[in-house]
Amino acid sequence: MTEDLRRRALDALTAARARTATLTSCVDDHELTAQHSPLMSPLVWDLAHIGNQEEQWLWRTVAGREALRPEIDSVYDAFEHPRALRPTLPLLAPAEARVYASDVRGRVLDVLDRTPLEGGPLVDAAFAFGMIAQHEQQHDETMLITHQLRKGPAALTAPEPPGGSARGLPAEVLVPGGPFTMGTSTEPWALDNERPSHQRVVPPFFIDTVPVTCGAYQAFIKDGGYTDPRWWAADGWDQIRQHDIGAPLFWRREGGQWLRRRFGVTEPVPADEPVLHVSWYEADAYARWAGRRLPTEAEWEKAARHDPDSGRSRRFPWGDEDPAPAHANLGQRHLRPAPVGSYPEGESALGVRQLIGDVWEWTSSDFLPYPGFAAFPYREYSEVFFGSEHKVLRGGSFAVDAVACRGTFRNWDLPVRRQIFAGFRTARDAAPGEAS
C-alpha cells in the first residue's frame, strides 16, 4: 500500500511538471515575462511560485530541511502581491526560474522516496505530495487562461475531443428529493473545503442533462438578453452596462455569424459545445430568461454523486474508479470542451452527462464552509474566501487535471469573472406530481 501511494504521488507530480513544461516552453522569454492581462500573473511568476510552494511544503515542512531560497518567499506569496502588480517585483528570470523549480523537484523526489507515508496528517496517504501536485495543476490551468488571454498566433496545439451528440437524450433529468451524503471524510487527497462528509436534504428538482450550449446561448443574445434588465441581478446589470458586454468573452459578431478567439485561432462558435467564458451574472441571467435557475451546490453534487439504487454517494458520476479518457474531458488533452452528449461512459447514475470536465459549472451558492470545517494545512487556502463575495463552481473543465477534480471538489470565484473556463447548466423545482 505504501509503495502504491508513493507511485501515485510520483505520477501526479510528474504529470503536473510535464504540463508546466509544455505551457512555459511554447513561448519565448518575452512572452513568459509579459503580463498579458492585469487579471493574471506573468507566466514566469507562476513557474517560480510552483517551485517555491513545493520548496516550502515538501522540502522545508515535510523533510524539515533548511530553506533554499528564503529571500524569494515574499515575492511569490500570492496573498502579499495582487496579480496586477507582480510584473513590478524582482522576479526570477525564465532560465533561473526553470533551474530553481528543477532543483526543488530533484530534492523533493528524494524526500518522497525516503518519507514514511504515515505518522501525521501531512504525510498520511502522501497528502502533502498530493496537495502540491494539485496546486501545480491548478496553476497549469491558470497559465492556460493566460495563454487564452495573450495576443498573437497560436502557441499550443491539441487533438480534437471525441465527437458526441445530445440527440435522443432527455432535456432534463429528475433528481429525487431526500437526503444524500455531501462532501468527504475519506478521500485521501481531498482539500479542507471538501470536508467533512455530512447529510444534506434537497427537495426533488430537475437538472439539465447536458451543459447549456453555445447555440442555446445565442438564442438568449438574439432575444435581447443583454439589453433587458428583467433577467439580471442588479450588480450584474451594472457590470454589463459599465463594460458594454453583449456576448461571452472572446466572442464577436462578423459577417452574420458569431466568431470566437481560442488560443490564438479565430473560428466560428460551435453551436453544440458548452458555452464558455461567461460570468456568474451571465449564467444567472440566461437561467432566468429560460424560466429556470442555476442549481445550488448541493443539488449539483447530488446530481453528480447520488446513486438511487444503493443510496450512497459515488466518488465520481460514473462510479468510484479514477477518471479515464472515456469518462471525461480533463487534463488539457483537447484544449476545448467536447460537444454536449459526449462521454456516455461518464454519465451519472441518474443519467446526467458531462458533470466532470469540459467546463466549470456555476452554481447559485455562495462559497461557505461545511459543518465541522477545519482549515488545513493553512487557512489561506479556503477560509479567507468564505462568504457571499464568491460563488461556487463545480465539476472541473478541460483545463484541469484529474488529480484536482473530484465529485466533491469545490472551486470558487467572483461572479464577474469571465476569463475562467466556466459555463453552466440550469435547474428547476419539481412541480407537485412530477417527483414520482
Side-chain angles (χ1 to χ4, degrees), residues 239-307:
Q239 181 77 8
I240 65 163
R241 298 271 66 80
Q242 180 181 349
H243 297 281
D244 194 26
I245 295 170
L249 187 62
F250 307 117
W251 284 28
R252 74 171 189 268
R253 188 77 172 167
E254 185 176 298
Q257 67 175 334
W258 284 105
L259 303 176
R260 71 177 181 188
R261 181 170 59 82
R262 183 178 62 86
F263 301 115
V265 175
T266 298
E267 60 189 16
V269 171
D272 61 349
E273 275 188 18
V275 68
L276 190 63
H277 297 302
V278 290
S279 68
W280 182 90
Y281 290 125
E282 290 168 290
D284 179 64
Y286 174 95
R288 293 169 191 252
W289 169 82
R292 297 171 69 84
R293 59 177 174 80
L294 294 179
T296 67
E297 182 183 13
E299 288 174 334
W300 187 98
E301 187 166 328
K302 185 168 188 179
R305 300 183 63 211
H306 181 64
D307 182 349

Side-chain angles (χ1 to χ4, degrees), residues 2 59 63 125 141 148 150 153 157 160 180 206 233 274 282 288 319 334 336 400 408:
T2 297
W59 180 248
E141 182 171 17
Q148 170 64 10
R150 62 176 286 275
T157 60
E160 294 296 295
F180 81 104
F206 286 87
E282 290 168 290
R288 293 169 191 252
H334 303 299
R336 68 190 300 160
V400 68
T408 58

Side-chain angles (χ1 to χ4, degrees), residues 62-134:
V62 171
R65 305 298 290 273
E66 186 176 345
L68 302 174
R69 297 289 300 268
E71 75 280 5
I72 68 172
D73 287 356
S74 64
V75 173
Y76 296 102
D77 186 332
F79 292 92
E80 190 169 335
H81 308 286
R83 288 174 173 175
L85 299 181
R86 288 173 189 172
T88 67
L89 301 173
L91 304 179
L92 300 183
E96 189 177 8
R98 288 191 181 98
V99 169
Y100 169 62
S102 178
D103 179 40
V104 172
R105 173 54 58 86
R107 295 168 187 264
V108 159
L109 293 183
D110 185 62
V111 173
L112 175 60
D113 191 51
R114 296 169 180 268
T115 301
L117 301 182
E118 58 184 3
L122 271 179
V123 294
D124 285 348
F127 174 82
F129 298 93
M131 178 184 73
I132 288 299
Q134 291 179 79

